[in-house]
């Protein structure tokens, strides 16, 4: 192309490469992961264990326990452990897990019961673990659609460009949605 005797070169932006893309995804995941854990820790404390979080990365500690005063003799056949998932020392889930082996069939049965912050049994707590993928997909959809990059991509100087209009800032909504659907369909086998 020429413009008043000056030759202009049309070049695509530099490709990101595997490692830069991987580190950008890791930064984005950590941003969402930390924000969700802070939210779930606050909700867990405010609702006395009524809301919990069980995400892919858990810091879980368990210790043996015994049941007292339940009034249900069928629960006494289980060997119990009390487990706590925490985020920098703040609990986000607490439950009791029991295992029992049938002496005749040698079949192992397990039972899990949610606990409140005092260690008492409670009805099932609302588990917000499903939000992790949904919030990450929404975050990437909005950031890449509006700004051509997420925080992780911004740190590593990566941009998402439309192949037909690479000067455009951000992606069209339809293309951004299609990009996220294809990306998270790839994660589906790993999560199953």
């Amino acid at each position: 192309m020429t413009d008043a005797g000056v030759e202009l070169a049309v070049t695509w932006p530099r490709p990101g490469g595997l490692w830069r893309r991987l580190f950008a995804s890791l930064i984005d995941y950590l941003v969402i992961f930390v924000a969700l854990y802070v939210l779930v820790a606050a909700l867990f404390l405010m609702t006395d264990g009524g809301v919990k979080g069980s995400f892919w990365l858990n810091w879980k500690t368990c210790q043996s326990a015994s049941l007292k005063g339940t009034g249900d003799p069928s629960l006494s056949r289980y060997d119990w452990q009390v487990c706590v998932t925490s985020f920098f020392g703040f609990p986000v889930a607490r439950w009791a897990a029991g295992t029992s082996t049938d002496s005749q069939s040698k079949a192992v049965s397990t039972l899990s019961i949610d606990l409140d912050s005092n260690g008492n049994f409670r009805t099932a707590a609302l588990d917000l673990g499903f939000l992790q993928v949904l919030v990450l997909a929404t975050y990437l959809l909005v950031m890449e659609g509006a700004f051509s990059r997420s925080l992780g991509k911004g740190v590593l100087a990566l941009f998402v460009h439309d192949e037909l209009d690479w000067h455009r800032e951000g992606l069209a909504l339809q293309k951004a949605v299609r990009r996220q659907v294809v990306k998270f369909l790839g994660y589906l086998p790993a999560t199953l």
Side-chain angles (χ1 to χ4, degrees):
M1 295 169 62
T2 60
D3 187 21
V6 177
E7 190 165 321
L8 301 174
V10 177
T11 61
W12 280 89
R14 184 176 145 228
L18 174 70
W19 293 109
R20 289 178 59 207
R21 290 173 191 259
L22 180 69
F23 288 130
S25 295
L26 181 65
I27 290 169
D28 290 331
Y29 182 75
L30 288 175
V31 165
I32 296 302
F33 180 72
V34 169
L36 280 177
Y37 255 123
V38 168
L39 173 68
V40 170
L43 289 173
F44 182 82
L45 294 173
M46 290 184 340
T47 62
D48 193 28
V51 173
K52 68 178 183 176
S54 56
F55 301 117
W56 292 334
L57 297 176
N58 288 324
W59 293 283
K60 179 173 72 170
T61 57
C62 295
Q63 57 184 325
S64 295
S66 61
L67 295 178
K68 297 177 185 165
T70 61
D72 188 355
S74 65
L75 294 178
S76 62
R77 67 185 176 103
Y78 288 90
D79 295 323
W80 290 96
Q81 286 190 331
V82 173
C83 300
V84 176
T85 301
S86 62
F87 175 71
F88 293 115
F90 295 103
V92 293
R94 182 174 288 141
W95 70 98
T99 57
S100 175
T101 305
D102 186 351
S103 59
Q104 294 176 351
S105 67
K106 303 294 183 200
V108 176
S109 62
T110 60
L111 180 64
S112 179
I113 301 171
D114 289 323
L115 301 174
D116 65 11
S117 60
N118 296 322
N120 301 318
F121 290 137
R122 67 171 300 120
T123 57
L126 175 63
D127 190 350
L128 296 180
F130 71 92
L131 286 178
Q132 188 172 10
V133 172
L134 182 64
V135 170
L136 184 61
T138 304
Y139 160 77
L140 290 173
L141 175 75
V142 169
M143 294 298 286
E144 290 175 359
F147 306 110
S148 295
R149 62 182 167 227
S150 60
L151 291 176
K153 286 181 177 71
V155 167
L156 294 169
L158 295 171
F159 296 89
V160 178
H161 294 281
D162 187 341
E163 66 182 350
L164 301 176
D165 184 14
W166 64 276
H167 291 289
R168 176 189 169 135
E169 176 101 8
L171 291 176
L173 180 62
Q174 182 181 8
K175 288 183 180 186
V177 168
R178 188 172 46 229
R179 177 180 167 82
Q180 295 311 315
V181 167
V182 169
K183 185 184 300 184
F184 283 94
L185 282 178
Y187 292 147
L188 191 60
T191 59
L192 295 178

